[in-house]
Amino acid sequence: MGDISLEAFESSLRSKKSTWFIQDTQIAFPPGFNDMIITENPAIQRTILLIGKESSDIWKHLENWYAVLTITTNQDWSLAMTYILYQPKPTLVIACPELVIPQQVYQKLNGITFVQFAFYKSSINRSLLTTDCILMQQTNSESDIDYIYNITQQLGQPHTKQNIKDILRDTRSASASILVSSIDEPKGKQMYWYYATPITRSSKVDIVIGLIQSVLVRHS
């Protein structure tokens, strides 16, 4: 990655809002999701799925959801927020791809662990980039890399397209990927790498070593 140095992401996504960009054919939790969201303590008490008319019904069968809320109107949003805010914490709320989240809904989700999935083919609108953390699934597709580059530009990151391609290649060799976060960042959004594979905590040292070695080999 040349003179680009990224630190590992160490902040918690619990009680935060995050956007996870995934492949446009994927209907599954992306690599790293379980480790960063599900397994952290305390245990999730409720998992709630928000699904829109453009979303695939397969999402309904992905998990043993406590509740599945179908959103088609503003009244649906109002009822959904009332329901969600009365659930015991920690509650995990997941929004399917293609479901556009109104800005006023984001404001009501403070303190809720909220995950918004989006396909790489999605239009890059403000609602996708207003969350606390934006995570990019690993890819070697040129069109997806273009998409990720556009995201990082809109998030104010200084990297060139070639920088992004190099960073993705380096992190991919160590089963990692990149994200942009404003959590605990007084100076604004910053880019980090994160573990993009289902792993145990004890194996993280091996992945860190692998990431460092891959960078040293490419740039020695």
Side-chain angles (χ1 to χ4, degrees):
M1 290 184 286
D3 58 356
I4 300 172
S5 177
L6 297 185
E7 296 180 0
F9 183 69
E10 297 291 347
S11 298
S12 174
L13 294 181
R14 286 293 185 89
S15 302
K16 303 296 183 183
K17 299 181 282 287
S18 59
T19 300
W20 296 65
F21 284 96
I22 59 178
Q23 308 294 338
D24 60 14
T25 57
Q26 181 174 341
I27 302 178
F29 293 154
F33 180 84
N34 187 68
D35 192 51
M36 298 178 74
I37 298 288
I38 303 297
T39 61
E40 186 171 325
N41 290 319
I44 296 289
Q45 297 295 308
R46 299 281 191 272
T47 54
I48 299 172
L49 179 70
L50 304 180
I51 189 167
K53 60 183 179 180
E54 302 297 329
S55 306
S56 170
D57 280 349
I58 298 176
W59 286 94
K60 296 179 180 179
H61 309 289
L62 182 63
E63 179 79 9
N64 184 23
W65 307 103
Y66 181 78
V68 176
L69 307 180
T70 301
I71 309 294
T72 57
T73 66
N74 287 335
Q75 184 177 13
D76 291 337
W77 277 117
S78 179
L79 293 173
M81 289 303 99
T82 299
Y83 179 80
I84 289 168
L85 294 176
Y86 275 96
Q87 298 304 312
K89 292 182 175 62
T91 295
L92 171 60
V93 179
I94 293 180
C96 289
E98 314 296 350
L99 180 62
V100 178
I101 315 296
Q103 193 61 37
Q104 60 269 29
V105 169
Y106 282 115
Q107 297 169 357
K108 294 179 180 179
L109 287 168
N110 290 335
I112 300 290
T113 303
F114 175 75
V115 171
Q116 174 177 235
F117 288 128
F119 292 135
Y120 277 138
K121 69 178 182 180
S122 303
S123 298
I124 305 177
N125 56 61
R126 183 168 177 252
S127 70
L128 294 176
L129 304 182
T130 55
T131 53
D132 304 302
C133 189
I134 294 89
L135 302 93
M136 276 69 78
Q137 185 176 355
Q138 188 56 255
T139 181
N140 56 11
S141 162
E142 279 295 327
S143 61
D144 290 348
I145 291 172
D146 286 342
Y147 190 94
I148 291 172
Y149 171 68
N150 289 334
I151 291 173
T152 62
Q153 291 297 290
Q154 292 197 39
L155 292 172
Q157 300 304 295
H159 309 297
T160 66
K161 182 182 174 183
Q162 187 60 48
N163 289 156
I164 296 299
K165 184 179 290 189
D166 290 344
I167 292 168
L168 286 170
R169 181 167 56 243
D170 287 342
T171 53
R172 183 166 57 249
S173 66
S175 299
S177 193
I178 59 174
L179 60 80
V180 177
S181 172
S182 60
I183 301 171
D184 303 322
E185 293 293 347
K187 295 183 179 180
K189 295 180 172 65
Q190 298 294 322
M191 184 179 291
Y192 293 90
W193 63 270
Y194 73 97
Y195 305 103
T197 184
I199 59 173
T200 61
R201 297 286 178 179
S202 61
S203 66
K204 285 188 174 182
V205 173
D206 293 334
I207 290 183
V208 172
I209 293 173
L211 180 62
I212 293 172
Q213 288 177 336
S214 69
V215 174
L216 291 177
V217 168
R218 287 191 61 248
H219 301 286
S220 57

